[in-house]
Amino acid sequence: LLTIVAVDDGLPEMISTATIVINILDENDNPPIFDQPLYTDFVREDHPLSSPPVVIVQARDRDIGSNDDLSYSFVSTDEGETDYDTFAIHSRNGSIFLTASLDYETGPRFYDLRVEVTDGNFKALTNVSITVLETNDITPSFTNLPNVVQIPESLDNGSLVYTANAVDMDQGANGRISY
């Protein structure tokens, strides 16, 4: 509020006052800033598509009103490669979701994404590194398994009848087989 007083030079002095409201309009003069310069997260290869988010990137803007409305998007990395056919980003809240299934055994195990945020005037960038984690998603399968094993009835007890062999394409402990 501002009060203005006007006084004339006459006798008697005459005074008039007025009060006005001054609204200071925000200018879009502050850039958005990401909470982190690098986001790292892990995602299991069996993570469901669309939800929950794999990771959420967040930025802040010191402007107010429509000047702090932020919009998130993916941008190409310096190498020009994109992994954006596997992920999608919510433009309003920075949530990153899977849009394609992951496979630790046959697909990429690491994804590097670059995210841009803009307030309509300024832009900021951050990097997102996502590591795919192995799950026990492959059933062991027997190789060269015969339908029938024939043995002579005179075979001694404890003799080797057949050696089974199986493989499991999972990695680490998930791919080790016991018989």
Side-chain angles (χ1 to χ4, degrees):
L1 289 178
L2 177 65
T3 302
I4 302 172
V5 178
V7 181
D8 67 17
D9 290 334
L11 287 175
E13 269 183 359
M14 301 298 278
I15 300 174
S16 182
T17 62
T19 302
I20 60 172
V21 176
I22 298 177
N23 288 326
I24 300 172
L25 301 176
D26 183 54
E27 291 183 17
N28 193 352
D29 58 347
N30 292 296
I33 299 171
F34 277 101
D35 292 349
Q36 299 174 217
L38 172 66
Y39 289 80
T40 57
D41 216 330
F42 300 90
V43 60
R44 291 170 45 101
E45 67 179 320
D46 60 354
H47 190 87
L49 300 181
S50 299
S51 68
V54 173
V55 64
I56 300 173
V57 296
Q58 290 186 320
R60 311 266 184 242
D61 192 315
R62 293 185 335 182
D63 291 312
I64 60 172
S66 63
N67 291 329
D68 75 347
D69 288 343
L70 301 179
S71 180
Y72 299 87
S73 61
F74 288 132
V75 293
S76 295
T77 62
D78 293 335
E79 295 80 30
E81 295 182 28
T82 61
D83 290 317
Y84 310 129
D85 55 341
T86 306
F87 299 93
I89 189 165
H90 190 284
S91 65
R92 303 307 298 161
N93 65 23
S95 297
I96 297 176
F97 298 92
L98 277 178
T99 58
S101 297
L102 300 174
D103 191 334
Y104 184 88
E105 291 77 26
T106 62
R109 294 181 183 176
F110 304 97
Y111 292 91
D112 290 315
L113 310 172
R114 178 166 274 184
V115 176
E116 176 183 88
V117 65
T118 182
D119 64 3
N121 192 28
F122 295 100
K123 296 177 181 181
L125 295 171
T126 193
N127 294 304
V128 179
S129 179
I130 298 171
T131 301
V132 179
L133 299 177
E134 160 73 349
T135 61
N136 193 13
D137 61 334
I138 300 176
T139 303
S141 60
F142 287 98
T143 59
N144 299 326
L145 187 64
N147 290 335
V148 176
V149 174
Q150 295 182 354
I151 58 170
E153 73 177 310
S154 62
L155 191 64
D156 293 336
N157 277 346
S159 295
L160 178 65
V161 174
Y162 174 75
T163 301
N165 189 33
V167 295
D168 188 327
M169 299 307 293
D170 281 318
Q171 302 293 311
N174 292 335
R176 284 196 291 273
I177 298 173
S178 300
Y179 298 93

